[in-house]
Amino acid sequence: MNQDAFKRAMMESVVDRSLRDIRRDPRRGIRRLADLGDVAASGPYQKKFLAMARRMLEQEDSPYYTMVCNAVRSADSERLKTFGINFGWNCLTVGTNKIRAREQTQTWSIPWSLTLHIGGEPEDLDAHVLIRLIREGMELGIYTYFLFPDGMSRSISTALDAITASEDCAFFLFLPPEQTDAGAIQALTAPRNLMLGISSEVPQWQSLATQLRQEGALYFLYRTYDGPDEALDIASGKWADQLSPLAGIGSICVAGQDCPAQCGTQVYQYARRSRMEQRYPTLVVDYYLDNLYTDAYISHAACLSGVYPNGELTRFQDGREHPTGLSVRSARLDEVLAQIPSRPMPTPQENDCF
């Protein structure tokens, strides 16, 4: 057993015990888990994140106690353990160490996560290419993947094949609004390394969220925004207030491709304030900018990359994803990333990573 595997086994034992403690005495169990995580944290990002979490938990009426208790009581324990360790250990510890080590010897940036847009047309990337792409990403230190399948059933099955073949990774899947079939959603609850996203813009989002809770699944709610009116609606707090009774661990706002950059900044600033002020029993997140600021803490030059259904690599800039003209269909991921020059970004303030 190598050192990383031994540490993961130890982590699994700690998480098992912590979940039992939280069920018996939620507040004491949560604080103890944060203390243990602080001791085990090996990198500056993990240490800063856990230090802020501990400060927040000093507030006795923190809604984050409710958020964690809801997750522990409703989600399957093995699912919580697998996803939590894949994200917290494989991604934020093993993965970030790999990324930092490689970036010290090269001139190009490695994103901490990849955004995969998955299509259902015959010419779109199939599961075999996606699985190869994810394996190449893991070699670089990328263990977190955000999946955006289109509304076609083939894209859902492609995503599911990639998830089940990559058991060491953490996946966040944004279920298309038009995909509300209960049977299809139930199939997506099987992988333990998946957190499933439900659009709050569909009329039946409450019943879908209730279904996921009953099945012990990990889930989050999300919505899109395309302009000033929708950004203002999010920033007013109305959306998060509406979600609170059934909100999952995260409530994610995703800017549309034609959304002005200033709207993204407005939503990000609101989301960050809501987390620091602990307004809701859920983490309100702006998908693109929170993703980018996370990378700024991990890498020497922040970057956010994705892949279109046809295999073309994207790079986030000025509020949206832009095509690069480079394809991963027949080239290795590292070879493609190496062709994109790094763009240094100021290190975010301590509070920005939460």
Side-chain angles (χ1 to χ4, degrees):
M1 179 182 293
N2 63 35
Q3 188 176 17
D4 284 341
F6 175 75
K7 288 182 178 178
R8 181 183 173 107
M10 294 293 293
M11 195 70 65
E12 288 178 349
S13 176
V14 169
V15 171
D16 280 332
R17 185 172 64 252
S18 297
L19 292 177
R20 291 194 297 268
D21 290 345
I22 292 171
R23 289 192 174 95
R24 285 196 297 265
D25 186 339
R27 278 173 167 72
R28 182 180 180 185
I30 292 168
R31 285 195 293 264
R32 187 167 184 268
L33 179 59
D35 291 341
L36 288 170
D38 197 22
V39 172
S42 60
Y45 179 79
Q46 301 97 303
K47 289 183 180 295
K48 286 181 179 293
F49 178 88
L50 286 162
M52 283 186 287
R54 289 178 64 191
R55 287 200 300 271
M56 289 180 167
L57 293 174
E58 291 173 0
Q59 180 179 320
E60 286 297 322
D61 60 348
S62 171
Y64 291 155
Y65 282 114
T66 301
M67 176 185 72
V68 176
C69 287
N70 286 342
V72 171
R73 287 169 178 165
S74 65
D76 173 75
S77 294
E78 289 300 313
R79 192 184 308 274
L80 269 173
K81 180 174 70 174
T82 299
F83 187 91
I85 292 177
N86 281 8
F87 184 72
W89 175 253
N90 289 355
C91 172
L92 296 182
T93 302
V94 176
T96 58
N97 288 341
K98 284 185 180 181
I99 290 172
R100 287 195 177 107
R102 290 187 67 111
E103 287 187 340
Q104 288 178 356
T105 62
Q106 63 195 32
T107 58
W108 47 278
S109 298
I110 301 171
W112 81 282
S113 69
L114 274 182
T115 300
L116 302 181
H117 301 275
I118 304 174
E121 298 292 344
E123 64 271 18
D124 292 330
L125 297 184
D126 60 21
H128 296 291
V129 177
L130 286 180
I131 292 168
R132 186 260 298 169
L133 177 65
I134 292 167
R135 287 176 179 164
E136 292 171 357
M138 291 169 62
E139 292 174 8
L140 298 175
I142 307 171
Y143 286 83
T144 298
Y145 295 86
F146 297 94
L147 310 184
F148 289 82
D150 64 17
M152 301 180 69
S153 58
R154 180 176 178 269
S155 68
I156 301 294
S157 61
T158 297
L160 190 57
D161 288 344
I163 292 165
T164 55
S166 311
E167 59 183 18
D168 289 332
C169 296
F171 293 92
F172 297 80
L173 189 147
F174 293 72
L175 197 67
E178 58 268 36
Q179 183 59 264
T180 57
D181 178 70
I185 292 175
Q186 187 173 22
L188 285 167
T189 64
R192 293 175 177 172
N193 57 339
L194 169 67
M195 188 179 292
L196 187 60
I198 297 295
S199 171
S200 66
E201 296 166 284
V202 300
Q204 62 271 51
W205 72 265
Q206 292 168 307
S207 62
L208 293 174
T210 300
Q211 175 191 344
L212 291 174
R213 279 195 176 185
Q214 291 172 344
E215 294 178 357
L218 289 171
Y219 73 93
F220 62 92
L221 298 171
Y222 78 94
R223 65 162 293 174
T224 58
Y225 63 98
D226 294 299
D229 290 343
E230 291 168 318
L232 183 61
D233 181 64
I234 293 171
S236 72
K238 294 178 182 177
W239 179 64
D241 285 333
Q242 174 191 9
L243 302 186
S244 288
L246 285 170
I249 292 175
S251 299
I252 303 179
C253 309
V254 184
Q257 273 298 92
D258 296 322
C259 184
Q262 61 267 29
C263 294
T265 300
Q266 179 184 14
V267 171
Y268 165 73
Q269 290 175 344
Y270 155 74
R272 185 171 65 87
R273 285 196 305 271
S274 77
R275 297 193 299 268
M276 298 308 301
E277 296 172 4
Q278 304 181 57
R279 297 179 188 176
Y280 313 106
T282 183
L283 296 173
V284 180
V285 172
D286 180 79
Y287 177 73
Y288 284 112
L289 288 180
D290 272 303
N291 211 329
L292 185 66
Y293 273 112
T294 298
D295 196 81
Y297 247 101
I298 293 170
S299 296
H300 69 274
C303 66
L304 181 57
S305 296
V307 177
Y308 282 152
N310 66 357
E312 185 174 13
L313 191 79
T314 71
R315 182 56 58 97
F316 179 79
Q317 186 177 351
D318 300 326
R320 69 189 66 185
E321 288 184 72
H322 292 270
T324 62
L326 304 169
S327 177
V328 298
R329 182 183 290 273
S330 58
R332 285 182 53 85
L333 178 60
D334 57 349
E335 295 172 350
V336 176
L337 289 173
Q339 298 181 58
I340 304 175
S342 295
R343 298 176 67 247
M345 176 180 177
T347 301
Q349 297 298 312
E350 180 176 296
N351 290 347
D352 284 343
C353 73
F354 199 86

